């Protein structure tokens, strides 16, 4: 177990709705990254949060947004859901500032989102 | 820009035989490279990580990978496959100081009895 927990595990929404996914990072970690994994594909980087600020973003539209809280937990919000948003959403926590050898992203089990 | 290519989408081996999962990378700078494993309905588990300290990296569950700069490769190997190794394997990399992981498309490993 990585100590990274995500909720909910599964979610079904309809097109146009909004969704919030949650992630609790591993103890001692200050950074959370979010990834989208479509069926049969590798994970794609959405964005990263460090000390409550966005610290890098992938090629995702603004309707994908996030938050990081003082306890380093995080939320991913997606507005105006589209069918193509159906995917496994993975959260990873790490410690920015750790040595290169120790800077590892630990993943949660993910939230599977289905958009109908 | 960093990119990672996994050369096989599916690899099938017999239990007790060697495993080879291939990964090539493309980067202008010295990358950090990773192998993760994903079992069905699970998140990603780190197998091993390369950070330039040693070209041969040993990971968990008997896996290891060798960084070959001349071939821009980071192939994952295991001497003897076990049924529990059946899963999806992802090669990933970062570049410079970025923590953004760039993943390959994955290789599904099947282990036959």
């Amino acid at each position: 177990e990585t100590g990274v927990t995500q909720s909910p595990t599964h979610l079904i929404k309809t097109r146009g709705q909004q969704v919030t996914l949650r992630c609790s990072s591993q103890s001692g970690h200050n950074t959370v990254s979010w990834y989208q994994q479509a069926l049969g594909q590798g994970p794609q980087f959405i964005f990263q949060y460090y000390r409550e600020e966005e610290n890098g973003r992938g090629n995702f539209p603004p309707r994908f947004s996030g938050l990081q809280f003082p306890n380093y937990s995080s939320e991913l919000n997606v507005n105006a859901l589209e069918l193509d948003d159906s995917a496994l959403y993975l959260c990873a926590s790490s410690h920015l500032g750790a040595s290169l050898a120790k800077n590892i992203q630990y993943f949660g089990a993910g939230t599977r989102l289905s958009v109908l | 820009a960093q990119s990672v290519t996994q050369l096989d989408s599916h690899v099938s081996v017999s239990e007790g035989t060697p495993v080879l999962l291939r990964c090539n990378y493309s980067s202008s700078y010295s990358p950090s490279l990773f192998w993760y494993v994903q079992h069905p309905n699970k998140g990603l588990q780190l197998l091993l990580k390369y950070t330039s300290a040693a070209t041969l990296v040993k990971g968990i569950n008997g896996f290891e990978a060798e960084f070959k700069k001349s071939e821009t490769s980071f192939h994952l190997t295991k001497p003897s496959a076990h049924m529990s190794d059946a899963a999806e394997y992802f090669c990933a990399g970062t570049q410079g100081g970025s923590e953004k992981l760039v993943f390959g498309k994955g290789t599904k490993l099947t282990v036959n009895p």
Side-chain angles (χ1 to χ4, degrees):
Chain A
E1 297 297 325
T2 64
V4 180
T5 58
Q6 293 187 242
S7 62
T9 54
H10 294 86
L11 205 50
I12 299 175
K13 292 285 187 179
T14 56
R15 195 170 49 182
Q17 284 188 312
Q18 178 266 342
V19 69
T20 297
L21 311 182
R22 295 178 176 82
C23 173
S24 294
S25 59
Q26 187 177 116
S27 177
H29 285 180
N30 57 16
T31 304
V32 173
S33 303
W34 286 92
Y35 293 81
Q36 180 196 66
Q37 186 180 14
L39 199 62
Q41 300 294 317
Q44 298 285 319
F45 176 75
I46 303 174
F47 44 55
Q48 181 183 86
Y49 277 81
Y50 169 63
R51 291 186 175 179
E52 303 177 54
E53 298 285 334
E54 189 178 286
N55 184 44
R57 188 179 183 93
N59 189 26
F60 281 81
R63 58 189 186 85
F64 285 78
S65 63
L67 282 173
Q68 187 181 31
F69 300 98
N71 66 355
Y72 303 123
S73 64
S74 177
E75 287 182 353
L76 164 66
N77 299 290
V78 187
N79 293 322
L81 283 167
E82 300 177 359
L83 298 180
D84 285 348
D85 295 333
S86 295
L88 179 68
Y89 288 85
L90 295 165
C91 161
S93 79
S94 58
H95 188 83
L96 195 63
S99 66
L100 198 59
K102 293 183 178 180
N103 193 357
I104 295 169
Q105 293 187 31
Y106 294 91
F107 284 81
T111 294
R112 187 163 297 282
L113 173 65
S114 298
V115 182
L116 307 178
Chain B
Q2 170 73 279
S3 68
V4 172
T5 303
Q6 292 183 246
L7 302 175
D8 307 293
S9 58
H10 194 180
V11 169
S12 183
V13 300
S14 297
E15 190 176 19
T17 64
V19 175
L20 170 63
L21 305 183
R22 299 183 295 165
C23 174
N24 284 1
Y25 71 92
S26 171
S27 174
S28 302
Y29 305 97
S30 296
S32 291
L33 294 166
F34 306 78
W35 276 97
Y36 283 89
V37 61
Q38 186 176 37
H39 291 277
N41 301 313
K42 300 285 188 181
L44 300 172
Q45 180 184 18
L46 180 69
L47 286 176
L48 49 81
K49 173 181 179 180
Y50 165 77
T51 57
S52 78
T55 56
L56 183 63
V57 183
K58 294 189 182 299
I60 62 171
N61 300 336
F63 285 96
E64 63 181 36
E66 186 172 7
F67 175 76
K68 292 187 176 180
K69 187 174 182 178
S70 61
E71 299 176 10
T72 60
S73 68
F74 189 58
H75 302 334
L76 181 71
T77 60
K78 182 173 180 176
S80 176
H82 191 273
M83 295 296 291
S84 61
D85 295 329
E88 186 97 26
Y89 290 79
F90 292 96
C91 181
T94 62
Q95 182 176 309
S98 171
E99 281 210 351
K100 168 186 171 182
L101 279 170
V102 177
F103 284 87
K105 291 188 175 182
T107 298
K108 184 176 181 180
L109 175 65
T110 299
V111 182
N112 302 305

